[in-house]
Amino acid sequence: MKKLFLSIAIVGAVMMAACSAEKKAEDKGAELKAKIENCTNPDSLKIYIQQAKDYADKLVKEGKNQAATDFLNEVTPAVQAKDAGAAIGLTGIKLEAQADSTLEAAKDAAKNLADSTKAAVNDAKNAAADKIKDAKDAAADKVNEAKDATKNAIDAAKEKTADAAQKGADKVKDILGQ
């Protein structure tokens, strides 16, 4: 008999632990919604609505704007059924979450635009620097070509002058030697 009672007690303890673990695993938002739907006391309802607002604010502050909007979309009908005036406060939070989402999207778009503009400016700077370098190299090549041409002309003139001087010297020798 003791074994039977002990077995039943163990099975009961295991089932209770499983049920309590399952309750803890439930979403806090679903828990708040259920509390609001099942509440009959106006004072308790105000507390549950405040908890729902706080939970939505917490989601917004964590950057989970879509989750906050979804939660508020689920809870608002239950709140309106119980207290239409309190639902207006939830709508304000919903609008704030949507505004935050829009603001984040705008910030991301502006950052992407700034990044692409910086990239375009850097590309233009690099292209201009490349063109300037190419122009400098081309000018240096032309200067070197002009130097080489001048040197060749000078060398040719020296050679012709030397040849003419040699021919003149040879003629003088021929005249004197005759």
Side-chain angles (χ1 to χ4, degrees):
M1 192 76 165
K2 282 185 179 180
K3 288 184 180 182
L4 180 64
F5 284 124
L6 185 59
S7 297
I8 292 172
I10 290 174
V11 169
V14 168
M15 290 184 75
M16 284 178 57
C19 289
S20 66
E22 188 176 311
K23 263 191 171 180
K24 288 180 186 176
E26 279 185 25
D27 181 23
K28 183 175 180 176
E31 179 184 338
L32 286 170
K33 181 183 174 194
K35 284 180 180 180
I36 291 170
E37 288 173 343
N38 297 324
C39 183
T40 57
N41 183 340
D43 292 332
S44 296
L45 180 63
K46 288 180 183 177
I47 293 170
Y48 295 148
I49 292 171
Q50 185 59 47
Q51 288 175 352
K53 288 179 184 178
D54 293 343
Y55 179 67
D57 283 337
K58 178 184 165 214
L59 290 174
V60 169
K61 287 177 184 171
E62 291 175 354
K64 299 175 183 176
N65 297 330
Q66 186 59 44
T69 302
D70 293 344
F71 168 70
L72 291 171
N73 286 337
E74 290 177 17
V75 171
T76 301
V79 172
Q80 280 180 330
K82 299 285 183 170
D83 182 4
I88 294 171
L90 294 176
T91 305
I93 295 171
K94 188 188 319 182
L95 293 175
E96 181 183 334
Q98 290 170 344
D100 286 348
S101 294
T102 304
L103 179 62
E104 288 301 318
K107 282 181 182 178
D108 290 343
K111 184 180 182 310
N112 290 340
L113 178 63
D115 290 344
S116 64
T117 303
K118 282 181 185 177
V121 167
N122 286 337
D123 290 346
K125 281 182 183 178
N126 292 338
D130 289 345
K131 292 294 182 188
I132 290 171
K133 184 178 181 290
D134 291 346
K136 283 182 180 179
D137 291 345
D141 289 346
K142 292 296 180 186
V143 167
N144 288 336
E145 286 176 13
K147 282 181 183 178
D148 290 343
T150 303
K151 183 180 177 195
N152 290 340
I154 291 172
D155 289 345
K158 283 181 182 178
E159 193 175 307
K160 284 185 180 181
T161 304
D163 285 345
Q166 187 62 40
K167 283 182 184 178
D170 289 343
K171 279 189 179 184
V172 169
K173 277 184 190 177
D174 285 346
I175 293 177
L176 290 177
Q178 276 183 350

